[in-house]
Amino acid sequence: MKGIIANCQTGKVELIEDSLPQLVLAPWTEPERLDILQANQAIQKINEQFPGTITASPGSGALAGAKIAKTSTLTRIKSAITGFFQ
Amino acid sequence: MAVKNSFIPGLGGSGGLPFTNGWTLDKLLKGAGAGLDPIEISGWQVITELVVPSDVSYVDLNSLDGNTDKFYLIFAAIRNPIASDYTLACFVNGDYTEANYYSQVIDADGATLLAARLNSPCFGGIPASGQLVVMAYVTRDPAGYYRFYTFSSRRVGSAVVIQNWACCKTATIANITVLRLLCGAAAIGQNSVILLCKPRTA
């Protein structure tokens, strides 16, 4: 992993390449963000119309591991909607 | 004549307790008075000015002493050379476990507002082949928690987006000694600029 170490006392800047594994961070992608936003809005609208239908919030941890969270969120929405109309 | 809240050397202010680092309330210049040369200028000083020499995954800002400096200001203009979006995160003191931090975001994109909380020290979203410009303060709060708050802008022209992140660590820390700005790839591109500032000390 390539990085820079800046010593804020001495002003020395060092470009290094270490053997540390690349840390996989929670993704931030525009399409994922929009999907989650839409999921948030859908849940909000459902809860406005039918309070208590969905108790889980997609906001918490939704972007962390976004694909799993998104799938989970959409599944919850689908289940809620299906459950309501059945 | 005393001028309240004046920053004119020699005119002084309304008095009050001295700052711990020796500055005088309402004075821009320390040690200055009528006919005297100032010995220090108050305000903020840049302690690291970095123009990234090649594409990297992280930047370590080390040899910090948050207990002495109290607050840091970071200005970052990041250019992403990769055609994918990436998260930029800001870890403290070598703790690179995302789950040890929480961040709350407000994101304004046109008429669309997003609010979310992530289990990660998110500092900004770097758009694919685009730019992220951030100003942030970083501190250890009086209870010992690492915190930062960002004010950022990304994308260009009519697509410009506002994004603010508030981050807090899940456990207290003893000091701030090193900050790491980290991406999941070498998305901190060549010619990105990072400034780190601290309050001037006597």
Side-chain angles (χ1 to χ4, degrees):
Chain A
M1 190 163 61
K2 206 169 174 183
I4 291 173
I5 296 176
N7 186 313
C8 300
Q9 291 285 341
T10 64
K12 183 182 174 189
V13 174
E14 188 181 358
L15 184 64
I16 65 162
E17 189 150 7
D18 56 41
S19 58
L20 297 174
Q22 187 78 48
L23 184 63
V24 178
L25 294 175
W28 177 267
T29 66
E30 302 292 342
E32 292 283 0
R33 186 179 65 78
L34 291 176
D35 284 350
I36 290 163
L37 174 62
Q38 287 163 358
N40 264 311
Q41 289 173 336
I43 286 179
Q44 186 180 353
K45 285 182 179 175
I46 291 169
N47 275 336
E48 282 173 3
Q49 293 279 328
F50 313 107
T53 305
I54 302 174
T55 54
S57 165
S60 177
L63 287 175
K67 288 186 186 302
I68 295 171
K70 187 180 69 173
T71 303
S72 171
T73 298
L74 293 176
T75 301
R76 284 202 298 273
I77 294 173
K78 189 179 173 186
S79 298
I81 293 172
T82 303
F84 178 78
F85 286 107
Q86 276 178 346
Chain B
M1 180 181 69
V3 181
K4 192 171 183 180
N5 295 327
S6 169
F7 286 93
I8 302 171
L11 290 183
S14 56
L17 296 172
F19 295 112
T20 54
N21 60 8
W23 299 111
T24 303
L25 185 67
D26 294 346
K27 284 189 178 179
L28 174 64
L29 302 177
K30 182 185 174 189
L36 299 175
D37 289 333
I39 56 173
E40 286 278 1
I41 299 174
S42 70
W44 293 79
Q45 65 180 112
V46 177
I47 54 173
T48 295
E49 178 182 353
L50 176 65
V51 179
V52 175
S54 66
D55 302 346
V56 294
S57 298
Y58 67 89
V59 172
D60 276 355
L61 302 164
N62 68 15
S63 300
L64 302 175
D65 182 354
N67 290 345
T68 298
D69 298 328
K70 308 291 192 298
F71 283 87
Y72 295 104
L73 285 178
I74 296 176
F75 296 86
I78 307 294
R79 181 189 68 84
N80 183 1
I82 304 173
S84 299
D85 301 314
Y86 285 100
T87 301
L88 180 66
C90 188
F91 297 90
V92 68
N93 297 351
D95 182 352
Y96 306 127
T97 301
E98 281 189 277
N100 290 341
Y101 305 79
Y102 278 93
S103 298
Q104 172 71 35
V105 64
I106 296 176
D107 185 283
D109 183 358
T112 303
L113 276 173
L114 162 71
R117 181 175 295 130
L118 279 70
N119 202 184
S120 176
C122 290
F123 198 76
I126 311 179
S129 304
Q131 290 78 240
L132 168 72
V133 180
V134 186
M135 185 191 83
Y137 68 73
V138 180
T139 193
R140 175 178 170 266
D141 75 16
Y145 288 93
Y146 164 73
R147 292 177 184 272
F148 65 74
Y149 193 94
T150 75
F151 308 82
S152 73
S153 153
R154 72 175 192 282
R155 305 214 300 243
V156 296
S158 61
V160 68
V161 172
I162 294 172
Q163 193 178 81
N164 298 341
W165 291 94
C167 174
C168 185
K169 209 168 184 303
T170 55
T172 58
I173 57 175
N175 196 358
I176 294 174
T177 57
V178 59
L179 297 172
R180 173 171 285 195
L181 294 171
L182 176 70
C183 276
I188 302 174
Q190 187 178 27
N191 293 328
S192 295
V193 177
I194 295 168
L195 292 183
L196 178 69
C197 307
K198 72 172 186 177
R200 287 192 71 92
T201 51

